[in-house]
Amino acid sequence: IARPFSEIPGLWKNGVVNLYNFWKLDGFRNLHRIMLQNFNTFGPIYREKIGYYESVNIIKPEDAAILFKAEGHYPKRLKVEAWTSYRDYRNRKYGVLLKNGEDWRTNRVILNKEVISLKMLENFVPLLDDVGLDFMARLHKKIKRSGQNKWTTDLSQELFKYALESVSSVLYGERLGLMLDYIDPEAQRFIDCITLMFKTTSPMLYIPPALLRQVGAKVWRDHVEAWDGIFNQADRCIQNIYRQLRQETGTSKEYPGVLASLLLLDRLSIEDIKASVTELMAGGVDTTSITLLWTLYELARHPNLQEELRAEVSAARAASQGDMLDMLKRIPLVKGALKETLRLHPVAVSLQRYIAEDIIIQNYHIPAGTLVQLGLYAMGRDPKVFFRPEQYQPSRWLRTETQYFRSLGFGFGPRQCLGRRIAETEMQIFLIHMLENFRIEKQRNVDVQSTFELILVPDKPVILTLKPL
Ligand code: HEM
Ligand code: 2DC
């Protein structure tokens, strides 16, 4: 017979005291390490309350399977109140990221077809490949200008541009021109606003934004400013496509991008389309660029592995005779590398669901409605789950037994990442081109760790050296 909910170990009796201790540990930036430590202290399940945020935390793949079986018809993750408060405050609609219930489901089903279905890859791949090629040209130019036949730099700003250019080309079927020498300052501002938006969200996970707004706190004001910048730029892009569509007469055969497809499909209201497309544009920048930065960092640390990947890519290029869609089916180790990056450096520190039914995990009873979190960062580093977890080893993903509820970087099920296909394809194409063009080296002997800024990001600049092959 299962033990009662109240006996789950952990610190959940006094949220305010726990918040104070959390703050003393610099918990706002160390959330992932604190979770890891809690699993070490309490075992594979613990209950926690920080401020007004209460949850049960789990770490085992088998328990993740139980959690996702209980997610119900309308899976619901932790509500990020900062994001909903902003939209309530400015009277803007929620997109698929923030909707719940039947409204979420109808929107998500329609969006799935246009954004995450495998059929769309043939439309996305040529667009993403063009951006990849332009990015390579841009890097070669930078190297030429340096006069040193190499370039040593923190690539993160370049990667933000690459990611925004990629996601925009898929969403709008049009280029923003971020691979050019002189870029639109508004696009740069959009990138900066996303970073600020993430940064200012994390404190508001624990302190209600409504309260911060009432006292006129700086985080809230910065957060509003960040979202305003994001929405203004997205609105401009959307208006632009909308105007073009209305002026166009005949239907061209060319793929017009996600936004135009949704407008032509006419199954969602324009307001719903705008809300979700804005979220897709904002969600498509820091996530993929930081995952790529971590991947380059790991390849620089493992030169032999880098050569192995390069060999796989060049064999795939030869076998597919340059057909990129075909080539993507021939690079299992590159795909393994991306999974390995997300295992050690996940974007999301946890996956969460409010469970729809009672469940039993680790022999504890958990009632329906509880927020249950899978500690993704902790799971990726747990020696009971992954053999020699500290080692970056893409080949571990070539074995099927590694997979069972272990590759969860994009979440799981009908509520998983909507941008997943775009992200995966964009990142695979990027790595193909990088491996074909440059040797990647690490400059100094610095060890980079993660820091929590709502998503996990490197705690210091990652300095890499690119040398043309
Ligand atoms: C949701 C990860 C890139 C848009 C999520 C979730 C995760 C995630 C873990 C929550 C899933 C769940 O609760 O089961 C990632 C990672 C990325 C990435 C690791 C890249 C490496 C992107 C991109 C876009 C995007 C490129 C947009 C094009 C979204 C949206 C949701 C979401 C809209 C909410 C879906 C919903 O609630 O129905 N992502 N993401 N993500 N992501 Fe991503
Ligand atoms: C952050 O404790 C830590 O993909 C919290 O592209 C729990 C939590 C809830 C929701 C997660 C969030 C964490 C991390 C960032 C995620 C988000 C859901 C979607 C979002 C994982 C784990 C992200 C980055 C989206 C963001 C789109 C947005 C900018 C429009």
Side-chain angles (χ1 to χ4, degrees), residues 31 53 77-78 80 83 87 97 197-198 205-206 227 278-280 282-284 287 347-352 373 417 452 454-455:
L31 180 64
Y53 182 167
R77 73 173 79 85
L78 172 77
V80 181
W83 299 350
R87 284 156 181 78
L97 172 77
M197 180 277 290
F198 279 129
L205 289 174
Y206 309 98
W227 276 121
T278 303
E279 290 173 355
L280 286 167
T287 47
V347 170
V349 62
S350 74
L351 303 175
Q352 339 74 42
Q373 294 204 83
C417 177
F452 178 75
L454 197 81
I455 60 173

Side-chain angles (χ1 to χ4, degrees), residues 359-370:
I359 52 176
I360 293 168
I361 288 186
Q362 295 293 324
N363 207 32
Y364 288 102
H365 177 249
I366 307 172
T370 305

